Amino acid sequence: GQSAYSRGEVLVEDGLLIVHTNAFTAANGVGSVGTLTLAHPGSLLENHVGTDSLKIGGGLGSQGSLYRSSGLAVLRQLLIGEAGYGYVEVGPARLIISNNLYIPNAVAAGTGTGRMVIASAQALVTVTQTLSRVGSGQAGNTGAYGELIVSNGTFQSQALEVGGVSAGMLHIGAATVTVFSTGGNGLKIGHGAGTGRVVLAHSGALLDIPGAELWVGGLNAGGEGHLIISNGLAVVGFLQTCRANGKFGHVDIHDGSLIVLTNAFLGNSANSTSLVELTHPRSLLTVSNGPVNVGVYSNSLSTLVLSNGTMVSKSMGVGSSTLAGPGMVANLFIYNATNLITETSVATDALSIGGRVAA
C-alpha cells in the first residue's frame, strides 16, 4: 500500500521478516490499504536498527493494519496512524519496542486515528526506553485521535501520556498496565489541550505506577484529564490533579480502589478545576504516607466528594496549602462515607481547614 489507492498484503507464517535499513510502512499512500499479519508462534518481525520505524496508516485517507496473532516482533518505533487510520491487534504474542509508541504519530502533521488492541491473556507489549503516547502531541493536530485498549494481557512502558494536543483514551480490562519510570514522568492524562481519559473497567484491571507520579490534567495549559476506576485497582507513587493553568482534572472511583503511596495534591495549579469523587460503597482511596491537600494554588476550585466508600490518609488540608491565596476555593463533602485520618503525632496537624489569606 505504498502508492496512491493501492492495496498490499503481507502474511508471515513460520518465517522471519527483517527490515534493517529503512522504515517499514503499511498503507502509506493516499487512499491505500495495507495489511501485515504474523500468524505463527515461530514468526519473527525485526525493524529496530538506526532510525527504523514501523508506520501503520500513514497516507491521507489510508487504512493500515498489523495483526500480531503470535510470535515475536522487535521494533525501534511503532507509529499507528498518521494521516489515515492505523490499527494494531496483539494476540498471544510479544511486541518489544525500544523507542517510542505513538498512537497516532505524535510528531508529524496529520489528523489520523490510531488504535491498538491487546486482546489475549498471553499478550505482552513492552516499550522499554522512552514514551508511549495515546493522542497526538503535534501542534495543530487537534483532530487526531488515539486509543489503547488493553482488554487482556500486559502492557508495560517507561512513561505514558494519554491525551495530548488531541484526544486519547486508555481502556484497561482484565489486564495489567505498568509504568516503570520514577519521578514525574509516570502517567500524564490530558497533558495538552486535548482530553485524556483512562478507564479501569474490570475487577481484574491493574494500573501499576509505584515509583512515579500520576497527573490527571497534565503540565501543558488547557485540556482535561479523567481517571475513571469503575472496577479494579490503581497503585501510584504520587497523585496530582491539574498541573497547569486552566486544567480540569477528574478522578471517579466507583467499585474499585486507588492507592497513593506518598502524597495527593488536588488542584495543583492556578485557574484550574479539580473534582475527586468516591461514588460506591466499595470505593477506596488510600494515601498512606503523606498528606492530602484539597486546594493548592490561588484562583482554583478543588472538590473532594465522599458520597460512599472509604478514604484513608495520614493527614489532610482543605484550603490550607502554603501556596494558596486569593480566589482559591476548596471543598470536602462527606455523605454516606468514612474519612479516616491516621496521624498520631501531636506536632502535626491531622486536619487543617482554611487558614490562608483570602482562600
Side-chain angles (χ1 to χ4, degrees), residues 68 89-97 101 116-128 132 148-158 160 170-180 204-209:
R68 176 76 267 193
E89 183 176 312
V90 183
R94 291 179 297 154
L95 176 57
I96 300 172
I97 303 166
L101 168 64
M116 171 180 269
V117 178
I118 302 173
S120 171
Q122 290 77 45
L124 173 61
V125 176
T126 301
V127 183
T128 60
S132 299
L148 173 58
I149 301 172
V150 190
S151 58
N152 281 279
T154 300
F155 177 84
Q156 303 171 335
S157 185
Q158 176 74 15
L160 178 60
L170 167 62
H171 183 280
I172 307 173
T176 298
V177 172
T178 300
V179 177
F180 48 81
L206 173 60
L207 175 62
D208 192 22
I209 318 170

Side-chain angles (χ1 to χ4, degrees), residues 211-238:
E213 298 182 11
L214 167 62
W215 297 354
V216 184
L219 193 58
N220 299 314
E224 300 180 7
H226 299 266
L227 172 63
I228 301 169
I229 306 177
S230 297
N231 292 108
L233 170 65
V235 179
V236 304
F238 187 174

